[in-house]
Structure formats: structure tokens, C-alpha cells
Amino acid sequence: MAYLLMFVTLLHLITLAMQFIATMEKSWWVWDGLENSDLWYNCRFDNYTETWLCASSKETEWLKAVQVLMVLSVVFSSVSFLVFLGQLFTMSKGGLFYFTGLCQVFSGLNAFSAALIYTLHNKAILQDSRELTSGHFGYCFILAWVCVPLLLCSGVIYIHLRKKE
């Protein structure tokens, strides 16, 4: 039981970190390594000053939806972790972690929706950017997709997890 508890806690912290990185970092779409776009900014690397020059992304409905869903995903996962810690110390023996599991599942569904919208509508989201055929999805986009099954699995584990002590 102690190993399962440590595994679930570690899995939760890893997915929370991955979600935060996917939401805040600068590479949902990458062109040639010198230009990229994320949920908040379009950035270009200036070779002369050796710095990234960033401008806010153009706000489209699809981009706003992805932003909101990713932020909600991080919030649900954070709330889930805090509730889990609270339940761990206050719940009676034999109790189930339903609320924690449901928050994790909602977090996974939000991340799934955000990644799916970005996949299907990246042309509309990046409409004023460079030609999309010369670019590709970045590592933050991939992290968002990797988070989805991990969040859903940890949510199911939480729902079936029973407090033994």
C-alpha cells in the first residue's frame, strides 16, 4: 500500500509539472528552431543580440479556448493534489478518494480538449504567423498529449484507492 501511495503521489507531481511546462513554455509550434509559437507569444531568435524577441499571439477564439482549457487543467490537477493531501490526513479508514480522482479526470479531459483543439485548428490559431508547412508541433504540444493518458490513469487509480490506515 505504501508503494502504491508513493507511486500515485509521484505520478501526480510529474503530471502536474508536465502540465505546467506545457502551458507556460514557448514551443507549441516551431519553425526551423529560430522561431516558435506557444499559447501566449510568438517568438523569434535574434542572432545579432542573441535573445528571443517575443510578441503577444493574436487572440482568436480557438487560441482562447486552448489557453483556458490548459489553465483549467493545471488548476484541477493542483486542487486535486491539495485535496488528496488533505484527505490523506483527515479521512477515516476505508475511505475512497473520489473527489481527488474526479478532479484528475477533469484535468485530463481539459488537457485532451485543449490538445485536440490545437491539433484540429492550428491553422486558425497561427493564421498571421509564417507558413505552417515549414514548421512542426513542438515539445510542449507533445507534453500536453502525454499528460492526457497519465492524468486519466491517475484519476482512475485515485477513484479506486482506499485509505488503509
Side-chain angles (χ1 to χ4, degrees):
M1 179 62 187
Y3 290 120
L4 180 61
L5 190 60
M6 287 188 302
F7 170 75
V8 169
T9 304
L10 186 64
L11 178 63
H12 196 135
L13 290 173
I14 288 170
T15 55
L16 186 58
M18 287 171 50
Q19 282 178 294
F20 191 75
I21 291 168
T23 304
M24 300 309 292
E25 274 296 312
K26 292 184 183 85
S27 65
W28 276 63
W29 190 267
V30 178
W31 294 273
D32 305 326
L34 296 176
E35 208 171 326
N36 58 35
S37 181
D38 67 359
L39 300 181
W40 315 102
Y41 297 103
N42 292 326
C43 298
R44 179 179 57 83
F45 187 75
D46 185 13
N47 285 326
Y48 181 71
T49 60
E50 295 183 2
T51 58
W52 285 96
L53 304 174
C54 298
S56 293
S57 297
K58 182 176 181 194
E59 295 285 328
T60 65
E61 285 97 20
W62 293 117
L63 180 60
K64 286 181 183 179
V66 173
Q67 289 171 340
V68 166
L69 287 167
M70 283 306 292
V71 169
L72 273 175
S73 179
V74 172
V75 167
F76 270 122
S77 189
S78 300
V79 166
S80 175
F81 187 69
L82 294 174
V83 168
F84 171 67
L85 290 177
Q87 287 178 328
L88 195 60
F89 295 111
T90 61
M91 189 177 0
S92 62
K93 181 179 178 181
L96 294 169
F97 297 95
Y98 284 131
F99 187 71
T100 302
L102 287 176
C103 282
Q104 275 297 88
V105 169
F106 285 144
S107 178
L109 293 175
N110 280 323
F112 173 74
S113 300
L116 187 63
I117 289 170
Y118 198 88
T119 302
L120 298 176
H121 297 286
N122 62 351
K123 290 179 183 172
I125 291 171
L126 301 168
Q127 64 187 352
D128 289 341
S129 301
R130 292 181 47 193
E131 181 64 35
L132 292 180
T133 57
S134 63
H136 57 86
F137 291 108
Y139 77 92
C140 290
F141 173 79
I142 295 166
L143 272 180
W145 274 113
V146 169
C147 280
V148 171
L150 293 176
L151 288 165
L152 294 175
C153 287
S154 70
V156 169
I157 290 171
Y158 274 127
I159 289 171
H160 291 292
L161 190 64
R162 187 178 295 271
K163 185 172 180 184
K164 295 283 184 184
E165 298 181 3

